[in-house]
Amino acid sequence: LEGVRLFDKDVMKGADGLSAEEWVNSPECKMVADDLKKTLEGLMDHLFGPVEKRWADDFFPFTEPSFEMEILYDGDWLEVLGSGVVHTEVLQNVGKDDRRGWAFGLGLERLAMILFKIPDIRLFWTDDERFHSQFKAGEITEFQSYSKYPPCLKDIAFWLPEGFVENDFFEMARGVAGDIVENMDLIDEFTNPKTGRTSKCYRITYRSMDRSLTNEEVDALQDELRDQCAGLGLEVR
């Protein structure tokens, strides 16, 4: 599900002639971003009732600034949509260079997880009939869990660089292990009183939807993840 809002050119008159960098730092860009957040927060409340929400800065190729919204679902933060202020170049390419606006994309799978109380997004791609047989067109039925293959838990701790973004680490981990990563939970945080440096420890739950994982293959994924942490400026402990 996607949506776009373009503002009337008169409202954005103060942004005329601005460079791309000047636009991102302008009051008009902030107004568009604030309107985006207010609108989408209202959409979440309309869909799910009053729900705790939070925003995180993100990167998408067609918007700047870009934001990700998460809602608190069954005790966990669940990413539900990506959004942002549309790049001026994108608007120029479609003949709307005199307009400014925002756009968002809402994952239908995330909505289905909430409506049907499905705990794991990976279930949507399973071939297991125990999952598919529970649902019928036109009916909202609460998902009934069934036996899973055992999890394999691995911890990783590292010192944080300035500007650390937790979602960047999560995306990197999923890039390494894909759908085998079920959960990533912060289990410990420590700040050294002498250096002021902060360390975080995450517990990663690895689990396959269709087979038992071996400790050896999970160790190999964990080693690759440790190696790639340097790319985010993380110092593994």
Side-chain angles (χ1 to χ4, degrees):
L1 177 65
E2 298 172 342
V4 176
R5 181 184 182 188
L6 297 182
F7 287 77
D8 188 276
K9 62 184 74 175
D10 292 335
V11 178
M12 293 286 112
K13 193 172 183 179
D16 289 350
L18 297 183
S19 67
E21 183 177 355
E22 290 171 333
W23 158 248
V24 170
N25 294 296
S26 70
E28 289 80 9
C29 183
K30 183 179 184 303
M31 185 188 80
V32 173
D34 289 346
D35 182 78
L36 161 69
K37 291 182 177 181
K38 180 180 178 181
T39 301
L40 295 181
E41 287 176 1
L43 174 62
M44 291 300 103
D45 288 339
H46 175 73
L47 290 173
F48 309 117
V51 62
E52 189 172 351
K53 300 170 284 287
R54 70 182 182 185
W55 291 94
D57 293 336
D58 210 323
F59 170 80
F60 302 112
F62 305 114
T63 57
E64 186 183 11
S66 301
F67 312 103
E68 175 185 274
M69 180 194 276
E70 298 177 341
I71 64 173
L72 192 60
Y73 168 65
D74 279 355
D76 293 319
W77 286 102
L78 178 67
E79 175 191 343
V80 290
L81 60 83
S83 62
V85 178
V86 181
H87 267 305
T88 53
E89 294 86 352
V90 173
L91 295 172
Q92 289 169 0
N93 290 339
V94 295
K96 298 291 184 181
D97 50 312
D98 59 340
R99 307 291 291 275
R100 309 283 182 166
W102 51 253
F104 76 93
L106 178 63
L108 294 179
E109 293 91 350
R110 302 293 184 179
L111 295 180
M113 289 177 70
I114 297 171
L115 291 173
F116 294 90
K117 299 189 181 302
I118 297 170
D120 193 326
I121 195 171
R122 298 174 301 167
L123 286 165
F124 290 107
W125 294 281
T126 184
D127 293 325
D128 197 318
E129 276 302 311
R130 290 176 296 177
F131 177 76
H132 293 286
S133 63
Q134 294 190 33
F135 308 104
K136 296 180 181 179
E139 297 181 12
I140 296 180
T141 307
E142 183 173 334
F143 171 69
Q144 301 298 315
S145 63
Y146 50 84
S147 61
K148 295 181 177 180
Y149 292 91
C152 185
L153 306 180
K154 298 290 180 179
D155 295 347
I156 183 169
F158 42 73
W159 295 107
L160 306 185
E162 283 191 32
F164 171 69
V165 178
E166 187 177 58
N167 280 339
D168 290 345
F169 171 67
F170 291 166
E171 289 179 8
M172 182 181 69
R174 294 192 186 281
V176 169
D179 290 342
I180 291 176
V181 175
E182 181 175 273
N183 285 309
M184 287 174 277
D185 299 308
L186 178 66
I187 60 171
D188 188 46
E189 184 172 355
F190 165 76
T191 298
N192 188 307
K194 294 183 178 180
T195 65
R197 300 181 70 191
T198 298
S199 169
K200 289 188 174 184
C201 180
Y202 290 88
R203 176 157 295 161
I204 303 176
T205 303
Y206 295 91
R207 191 197 316 250
S208 172
M209 300 299 297
D210 52 18
R211 64 187 178 87
S212 294
L213 298 173
T214 66
N215 199 53
E216 291 74 18
E217 65 180 312
V218 174
D219 281 343
L221 293 171
Q222 190 77 351
D223 288 343
E224 184 178 351
L225 177 60
R226 292 170 64 90
D227 291 341
Q228 290 199 19
C229 280
L232 293 179
L234 306 175
E235 183 181 334
V236 178
R237 298 178 59 190

